[in-house]
Amino acid sequence: MEPTAGSGDPADAAGATASVVTLHVNGVARTLAVDHRTTLLDALRERLSVTGPKKGCDHGQCGACTVLVDGRRMLACLLPAVAWDGARVLTAEGLSEGGRLHPVQAAFVARDALQCGYCTPGQVCSAVGVLSEAAEGHPSLATPAGPARTGGGLPPPVRLTPEEIRERMSGNLCRCGAYAQIVAAVGDVAP
Amino acid sequence: MTGAGRAAGDLERREAREKVTGRARYAAEYRPEGRLHGRPVPAAVARGRIASVDVSRALAVRGVVAVLTHENAPRLAAPQDPTLAVLRDDRVPHRGWYVALVVAETPEDARAGAAAVEVVYEAEEHDVVLRPDHPGLYTPEEANGGHPAVRERGDPDAALAAAPVLVEAEYRLGALHNHPMEPHAATAEWRDGGLTLHDSTQGGNAVREVLAGMFGVHRRQVTVVAEHVGGGFGSKGTARPHAVLAAMAALHTGRPVTVALPRRDLAAVVGHRAPTLHRVRLGAGPDGVLTAVEHLVVTRTSRVREFVEQAAVPARVMYGCAHSRTAHRVVALDVPTPSWMRAPGEAPGMYALESAMDELASATGVDPVELRLRNDTDREPDSGRPFSSRGLAACLREGARRFGWEGRDPRPGVRRAGGVLTGTGVASATYPVLVNPSRASARAEPDGGFRVAVNATDIGTGARTVLAQIAAEALGVPPEAVIVEVGSTALPAASLAGGSAGTASWGWAVHRACTELAERLAGAGGRVPPEGMAVDADTRGEADAEVPWARHAFGAVFAEVRADTVTGEVRLARLLGVFAAGRILNARTARAQFTGGMIMGAGMALTERSSIDVRFGDFAERDLAAYHVPVSADVPDVRAHWIEEEDPHLNPMGSKGIGEIGITGAPAAIGNALHHALGARLREPPFTPDRVLAVLRRTPPG
Amino acid sequence: MRPHGYVRARSVADALAVHAAHPGARYLAGGTNLVDLMKLGVARPTVLIDVRRLPLDRVEETAGGGLLVGATVRNSDLAAHPLVRSRYPALSQSLLSGASGQLRNAATTGGNLLQRTRCGYFQDVSKPCNKREPGSGCPAVEGSHRELAVLGHSPHCVATHPSDMAVALTALDASVHLRGVSGTRALPVSEFHRLPGDRPELDTRLRPGELVVGVELPPVPPGARCAYRKVRDRASCAFALVSVAARLAVENGRIVHAALAFGGLAHRPWRAWTAEERLVGAPATGASFARAAEAELEAAEPLRDNAFKVRLAGDLAVQVLGTLAGEGA
């Protein structure tokens, strides 16, 4: 029915409206034909039954769909699945392997950094992204001006003060207002 | 006081692990075989009729299975709540009212189909603007919650005329939107004449009644499941159109259907807090002791259903005085239907009243904490009933101590560092104690475990955890020994998660069932028979019995703000609340409720702005980019504490509701702090840069 | 959102050729704005040409001591780049002022420049909008416009450009590198975006099929410092009410270089040429800054609900310039 690009290579499907892609979701290669309109979020939720990423606004305004794509936090609701063929996608489900919580997840539980839970998987993925961004020396608007790098070395890590965490986590709305607990949880895991 | 549950008062949330690992499932995440996706089509006029609908282009869209309109939708019985009367006739009562539903194989197909539905309207002139002199204003029979619209004691006009100090002020609050993080969604499946509905709701039993009635089936044929619910704040307190549409579409197509509402639709179809215009007059002696209070509220409702935000009601509760008038007037406009939003009445009403109290403090030179203490009362002024307990004074004193209020320089507009002015403020908080009859069952298993069942709904409050504690305490066992089942109408019927009444209502029934079970077990020598031992409880007649007391929770909220005089930006530095709400059953979930409410109050004061588009009749700010709920950076330091309060007149647990009181003090506390910072008063939240700069330019600071 | 084709470009030339062959095609990079607009029904491409994986993802120093930023460099990477942070802090600050960490990880330099207005009428296909549907009217003039333009607008459109980054690039004299079937060209960022006039459907001077391939930042004038400051309704994650990007060099108390741009005021980042003329050669004092800002903003024609922006913009410019002058002293 659907005009699907047949080769499994979505690189040229100008005339087709669907393509076959492979997404490495939580360590498992998943190959599927996607409508070009399908976002990574809908591919995960509706096609692959990975419902940890939530649809809170579907327009990049709430952060509930935050996942880690090739190691960086992004909003799955704005990524066309076809464009991310071959990507490694990590969701809250994949952060905890074999029943063991990721340290961020454990901190969220210990700090009670959740209420209704709908923003929580996105908060958790966002926090994991924040930790690596800070470790790589990525600044935020809360980062004091200073030497970004002296000489040719790597930038120094950014220390995650509560102010840094608040600014960096501000793309993840929590209408229940668990912010204080979330900031504390991320702070617990920060080096 | 010293039972196992008490000792475990800081228990981890039972569903926390499911939630942090993304395994907790919400209503749209159930995928019965063959499930379809429904996408509603909102009306594009503010008032009128559907002249014609052409669905041919929509039906031609690949993957579209059906298009439901008023011409072909299943004919249902008229609902009691007319906001649920979707696809019944050609009437368009407001912009955004649903006029069609496209049902398709995928969400993408449904979206494309919805865009292809062609509706021709006969538009009529619409009227969407609330004005204090609107000719359509009338005094309703009652305001929300069954409160009389008008109450008068003594001779307020004479008392106000004679008062040595008179404060007279008008406050305006725009509409506010609940915006729970999970947009309303339902997955419906009909099988063998019965309906199973996974719904994002605060109360499945009410949804079941509504749907059984509309679809003409017995309630036993309808099961409503709400295992996890992504917040509600009142907007999921009643059945909503998405549930009706999902059930309708599943019936029409013979396949399961999920309807998950787009975020941009919510403002029009799931209720909102109506805008309110307040006129407050306070008469007092030079010592600040009130002689008269008048609080007049003007608001608006839709033409679909009357809903009157009971914003003048807290003035009937808060402060002692002999003369009082509290009144509501309302006008029906061509706007979306307002409904419950966290602390309806108290949230806007306490903003106005507590702002006026701050103005009285300024007028009399009495410290704002002291002023409230001087007007404390042990009887509810309006009813004359004694309070079962009233911790306001204790909260004010404890809050002042923790906040460092003592020694505060009362002069406004003098704390400047560079272009930034700092100020502190205080406001009281209150919320009534509500409780509803519920049923629950408790069962002892032969293996030594216990199973408690009640159709409570956990919308983020931690209901499972707290109910386990209540059960464990009554049974005298550790909470881990108790399995709690909630979130389905297959369980004993219970009231909704609303009115801050959930824990009290469900907990009462659970407590009774478990207490009886413990007695029966003791009678059996502690031996559980092989088939187990079960007790059912129903608190009807007990939980809803008339009581001779006025029962309310109280609190005090303190705020510190910084206002940038160049940019007009107001940022919260600190927000601290102290609450007296009976016995706190679980410290961590209670803290979350209090601070969460306070943050929503901060949003009301500082960021959440909604305006009606006069030409088009809808809200201008419908998505989360335009409607600014607070983000993490907006709330640097928010803390909640409580006073241990022993109140024997509440329920077996001795608890008061805590879900809503947090929002009721924060807005005025922040507004009062802003006045203290600027030396000028804003009377219309949110205090965004445009408004702050306007005031600063009228009155240059100190 | 109608079904559409998808082509992953193998090279810039390939992208241009596919675009030329498919009417209604659109380039896709991070997608953070385009996908949003497609869902709203505002953008209706026939084919998406994915340019994200093209080798345009590098930040390189130019021979003259400037920087060449590839079009697909992600916003977060550009903000974190050591040379950007040290030489062009206003650019880093502007990027970090925009959107959220997640969006900045996906959004690209080229895409950021090509963001479309956040005017509520533009985003709502059930309402008229000249930018979306030429000739249908502009309800914002009389309607909801607190966030919209005070400078350079027309009766046809009062939209503002939402980018923070573009405001900084404007003040930093950056230019946009473009590739089309007929060759390459560069445009100053300050000329890249248009004023609405009677063609509000056109945001930029981009020619049909042309692709943004990079942005060039010229070397920093001697002694110059720069900063970006944004005013918004909430503390993070909100579009600008007003923003200011400024660069200033002061010698012996006199301004020797001044560049000033405003965001949130107009259909394009607003380069304050008039103010700059007044500033260069003037003493670096608050009075000079205020006079310059005032001269620039004389042309403002605020709408019913956005007059606050005019003085806010002026006061903010004075503050930012004053801070830069103080730092440079």
Side-chain angles (χ1 to χ4, degrees):
Chain A
M1 249 325 259
E2 267 181 24
T4 301
S7 65
D9 173 12
D12 190 357
T17 58
S19 295
V20 175
V21 299
T22 299
L23 300 169
H24 301 271
V25 181
N26 298 325
V28 180
R30 311 283 297 266
T31 298
L32 68 162
V34 290
D35 186 318
H36 293 158
R37 297 170 298 178
T38 301
T39 58
L40 177 61
L41 180 62
D42 283 332
L44 291 169
R45 286 173 62 82
E46 305 299 339
R47 303 292 305 285
L48 302 175
S49 290
V50 178
T51 54
K54 301 299 182 202
K55 190 177 281 191
C57 72
D58 210 22
H59 286 272
Q61 302 164 354
C62 79
C65 66
T66 304
V67 296
L68 296 154
V69 181
D70 294 332
R72 300 176 72 160
R73 55 180 175 145
M74 293 192 198
L75 301 179
C77 76
L78 293 180
L79 305 179
V82 63
W84 293 85
D85 182 33
R88 289 174 295 114
V89 180
L90 194 56
T91 72
E93 288 98 325
L95 286 173
S96 58
E97 283 304 327
R100 276 181 44 145
L101 297 184
H102 183 281
V104 168
Q105 292 171 320
F108 267 61
V109 172
R111 288 284 189 171
D112 198 39
L114 59 117
Q115 291 186 40
C116 81
Y118 200 75
C119 73
T120 309
Q123 299 273 3
V124 165
C125 288
S126 193
V128 172
V130 165
L131 291 168
S132 58
E133 288 162 17
E136 290 162 18
H138 275 219
S140 82
L141 201 60
T143 310
R149 181 176 64 181
T150 45
L154 290 171
V158 178
R159 196 170 70 82
L160 287 175
T161 61
E163 193 192 355
E164 281 280 3
I165 297 169
R166 282 193 291 268
E167 167 58 26
R168 288 167 189 262
M169 292 294 291
S170 279
N172 292 84
L173 304 184
C174 171
R175 190 56 161 158
C176 297
Y179 293 133
Q181 300 92 308
I182 291 167
V183 172
V186 179
D188 286 349
V189 187
Chain B
M1 287 308 301
T2 53
R6 181 66 168 178
D10 193 29
L11 275 187
E12 177 181 297
R13 262 173 222 267
R14 293 204 151 195
E15 66 286 356
R17 279 157 198 269
E18 277 175 270
K19 286 181 173 175
V20 298
T21 55
R23 292 186 171 84
R25 278 207 294 177
Y26 297 78
E29 294 163 4
Y30 292 85
R31 300 175 59 206
E33 185 65 31
R35 179 184 69 152
L36 299 169
H37 296 265
R39 175 101 180 180
V41 178
V45 296
R47 177 180 168 133
R49 302 204 161 267
I50 301 166
S52 65
V53 192
D54 184 350
V55 301
S56 56
R57 271 185 59 231
L59 283 169
V61 169
R62 186 186 70 202
V64 169
V65 173
V67 181
L68 277 71
T69 69
H70 67 285
E71 291 171 352
N72 68 339
R75 307 263 45 107
L76 309 179
Q80 266 195 344
D81 175 353
T83 66
L84 300 177
V86 283
L87 313 188
R88 270 181 78 80
D89 56 33
D90 60 359
R91 187 180 56 113
V92 176
H94 61 76
R95 198 179 181 104
W97 176 263
Y98 287 141
V99 295
L101 181 77
V102 174
V103 190
E105 299 285 349
T106 71
E108 295 82 10
D109 297 337
R111 184 198 298 267
V117 173
E118 292 169 281
V119 185
V120 177
Y121 301 94
E122 279 169 25
E124 298 162 15
E125 286 291 304
H126 62 265
D127 178 5
V128 295
V129 180
L130 172 63
R131 301 192 312 265
D133 58 349
H134 196 290
L137 281 166
Y138 64 95
T139 300
E141 280 192 23
E142 56 182 38
N144 177 51
H147 296 279
V150 181
R151 293 285 293 170
E152 203 166 307
R153 276 183 293 113
D155 187 345
D157 292 320
L160 287 163
V165 180
L166 178 69
V167 164
E168 185 169 0
E170 292 182 5
Y171 306 92
R172 303 169 64 94
L173 282 155
L176 293 161
H177 302 282
N178 311 63
H179 279 314
M181 291 311 300
E182 181 201 18
H184 298 56
T187 300
E189 182 175 21
W190 289 91
R191 191 179 287 168
D192 305 325
L195 171 67
T196 300
L197 187 83
H198 288 272
D199 191 15
S200 179
T201 178
Q202 293 171 235
N205 283 100
V207 174
R208 179 171 73 166
E209 292 301 313
V210 166
L211 292 183
M214 289 183 78
F215 285 87
V217 295
H218 194 277
R219 73 166 67 88
R220 279 195 304 272
Q221 293 169 279
V222 179
T223 305
V224 178
V225 182
E227 191 188 0
H228 295 288
V229 179
F233 314 109
S235 70
K236 296 173 182 170
T238 55
R240 289 293 177 188
H242 68 279
V244 177
L245 291 173
M248 221 185 228
L251 189 65
H252 184 83
T253 60
R255 290 170 63 178
V257 175
T258 292
V259 174
L261 298 188
R263 174 66 62 182
R264 291 170 68 91
D265 287 9
L266 297 190
V269 297
V270 303
H272 61 277
R273 194 194 303 285
T276 43
L277 311 176
H278 303 250
R279 181 160 178 255
V280 182
R281 289 198 292 166
L282 302 178
D287 56 359
V289 174
L290 290 163
T291 54
V293 171
E294 181 183 64
H295 191 164
L296 308 178
V297 172
V298 167
T299 185
R300 61 115 178 92
T301 185
S302 73
R303 291 197 205 274
V304 180
R305 188 184 74 192
E306 184 189 271
F307 180 93
V308 183
E309 180 91 13
Q310 71 271 34
V313 166
R316 299 171 186 172
V317 176
M318 284 308 298
Y319 302 112
C321 70
H323 307 280
S324 159
R325 178 184 297 121
T326 47
H328 305 80
R329 289 198 305 150
V330 66
V331 56
L333 301 176
D334 304 306
V335 294
T337 305
S339 182
W340 299 331
M341 178 169 167
R342 205 172 201 167
E346 280 75 18
M350 287 294 279
Y351 163 69
L353 181 65
E354 290 299 299
S355 298
M357 285 296 281
D358 200 63
E359 302 209 35
L360 179 61
S362 296
T364 55
V366 178
D367 173 79
V369 170
E370 173 61 23
L371 179 80
R372 288 168 173 84
L373 293 172
R374 285 185 192 174
N375 286 290
D376 201 12
T377 169
D378 57 4
R379 283 184 177 269
E380 185 174 59
D382 194 61
S383 68
R385 286 179 299 178
F387 286 106
S388 64
S389 58
R390 176 168 162 119
L392 177 62
C395 291
L396 285 162
R397 291 196 179 99
E398 177 68 3
R401 186 185 71 77
R402 288 183 177 273
F403 190 76
W405 184 264
E406 200 182 336
R408 169 183 182 264
D409 181 348
R411 291 174 301 153
V414 298
R415 283 151 301 279
R416 179 188 281 271
V420 176
L421 288 163
T422 302
T424 52
V426 63
S428 302
T430 189
Y431 194 80
V433 172
L434 305 176
V435 62
N436 302 300
S438 284
R439 292 170 50 207
S441 68
R443 183 178 172 81
E445 305 286 3
D447 65 2
F450 296 86
R451 187 174 288 270
V452 167
V454 53
N455 186 23
T457 318
D458 193 332
I459 56 170
T461 54
R464 287 177 182 82
T465 313
V466 177
L467 292 175
Q469 290 177 246
I470 291 167
E473 187 171 325
L475 292 163
V477 300
E480 305 81 69
V482 183
I483 291 169
V484 174
E485 291 180 281
V486 302
S488 170
T489 54
L491 305 171
S495 59
L496 81 162
S500 295
T503 301
S505 307
W506 313 321
W508 197 328
V510 166
H511 187 274
R512 239 180 71 183
C514 290
T515 305
E516 270 185 53
L517 180 62
E519 283 165 9
R520 281 181 50 191
L521 265 177
R527 276 190 304 279
V528 181
E531 71 278 12
M533 185 186 282
V535 170
D536 294 321
D538 186 343
T539 61
R540 191 164 301 279
E542 187 179 12
D544 50 354
E546 275 289 313
V547 294
W549 298 284
R551 300 188 294 190
H552 301 266
F554 290 93
V557 179
F558 293 75
E560 179 177 341
V561 302
R562 298 193 187 105
D564 188 314
T565 56
V566 173
T567 66
E569 291 167 302
V570 181
R571 301 288 182 243
L572 200 54
R574 288 194 291 156
L575 195 59
L576 182 147
V578 178
F579 301 93
R583 187 181 147 200
I584 298 302
L585 301 174
N586 181 309
R588 65 167 57 198
T589 54
R591 182 168 286 116
Q593 287 297 303
F594 288 136
T595 54
M598 290 161 68
I599 289 170
M600 205 178 275
M604 188 172 156
L606 296 177
T607 60
E608 291 177 39
R609 181 183 186 114
S610 173
S611 55
I612 202 90
D613 189 302
V614 178
R615 173 169 165 193
F616 295 102
D618 55 355
F619 291 109
E621 298 83 6
R622 292 186 307 284
D623 65 21
L624 294 173
Y627 185 80
H628 294 143
V629 310
V631 297
S632 197
D634 288 301
V635 278
D637 183 352
V638 52
R639 291 164 201 238
H641 306 275
W642 47 86
I643 305 289
E644 287 295 334
E645 195 174 53
E646 295 289 333
D647 185 337
H649 309 304
L650 300 170
N651 57 50
M653 296 80 67
S655 64
K656 295 177 180 177
I658 57 175
E660 289 162 273
I661 189 170
I663 197 177
T664 70
I670 291 167
N672 297 340
L674 184 58
H675 169 259
H676 189 232
L678 300 179
R681 189 168 296 272
L682 282 79
R683 297 186 179 87
E684 183 174 9
F687 309 126
T688 45
D690 49 337
R691 290 175 176 165
V692 173
L693 290 174
V695 163
L696 279 175
R697 286 165 193 174
R698 276 203 303 274
T699 3
Chain C
M1 198 169 174
R2 60 188 181 190
H4 57 79
Y6 172 86
V7 176
R8 186 175 303 141
R10 294 173 179 84
S11 65
V12 171
D14 182 36
L16 299 175
V18 175
H19 197 289
H22 294 91
R26 290 285 304 270
Y27 296 121
L28 169 78
T32 53
N33 190 210
L34 180 57
V35 175
D36 176 26
L37 293 174
M38 287 166 66
K39 290 183 185 187
L40 291 170
V42 174
R44 300 161 59 84
T46 54
V47 177
L48 288 182
I49 303 166
D50 190 346
V51 297
R52 185 174 59 85
R53 302 189 197 199
L54 294 181
L56 300 171
D57 60 344
R58 281 186 292 275
V59 181
E60 292 164 316
E61 269 193 277
T62 60
L67 279 189
L68 190 57
V69 179
T72 63
V73 172
R74 295 193 271 191
N75 287 177
S76 49
D77 292 335
L78 187 57
H81 196 281
L83 291 177
V84 173
R85 290 175 73 185
S86 56
R87 293 184 196 167
Y88 310 97
L91 177 56
S92 182
Q93 290 157 6
S94 71
L95 286 158
L96 297 172
S97 300
S100 64
Q102 293 96 309
L103 287 167
R104 295 194 293 268
N105 275 339
T108 63
T109 312
N112 189 316
L113 281 174
L114 293 172
Q115 280 185 86
R116 308 213 65 193
T117 184
R118 303 290 161 160
C119 173
Y121 300 104
F122 175 71
Q123 295 181 323
D124 185 344
V125 296
S126 74
K127 294 173 184 168
C129 167
N130 286 327
K131 183 179 279 299
R132 199 184 61 243
E133 266 183 65
S136 61
C138 176
V141 173
E142 297 294 327
S144 181
H145 57 226
R146 186 182 72 113
E147 293 81 8
L148 302 182
V150 297
L151 281 167
H153 51 74
S154 77
H156 305 288
C157 182
V158 295
T160 45
H161 195 264
S163 169
D164 293 294
M165 181 195 79
V167 180
L169 290 178
T170 298
L172 298 174
D173 286 320
S175 56
V176 189
H177 290 208
L178 304 168
R179 279 274 300 276
V181 280
S182 53
T184 63
R185 62 179 182 136
L187 277 178
V189 175
S190 54
E191 292 172 26
F192 180 66
H193 298 96
R194 300 175 65 253
L195 290 179
D198 58 2
R199 299 291 304 280
E201 69 275 17
L202 301 176
D203 291 353
T204 67
R205 299 193 190 287
L206 209 56
R207 293 173 186 150
E210 237 175 356
L211 181 68
V212 175
V213 292
V215 167
E216 183 171 352
L217 288 147
V220 180
R225 293 162 182 276
C226 65
Y228 184 79
R229 172 77 163 93
K230 176 180 185 178
V231 177
R232 44 187 159 176
D233 279 334
R234 64 180 167 191
S236 186
C237 221
F239 291 99
L241 294 170
V242 171
S243 70
V244 165
R247 185 158 66 183
L248 199 68
V250 179
E251 272 174 27
N252 303 319
R254 297 237 157 231
I255 299 165
V256 294
H257 167 88
L260 182 65
F262 291 108
L265 299 190
H267 194 259
R268 67 179 187 206
W270 189 266
R271 183 74 188 252
W273 299 111
T274 306
E276 291 175 16
E277 271 177 37
R278 305 254 171 147
L279 286 169
V280 174
T285 62
S288 301
F289 303 146
R291 271 195 299 275
E294 200 177 312
E296 185 66 43
L297 294 163
E298 248 172 29
E301 290 181 275
L303 307 167
R304 182 192 63 234
D305 292 332
N306 68 4
F308 73 98
K309 284 187 168 191
V310 180
R311 185 164 150 195
L312 169 54
D315 289 353
L316 189 67
V318 171
Q319 186 182 56
V320 172
L321 290 167
T323 306
L324 289 172
E327 279 176 2

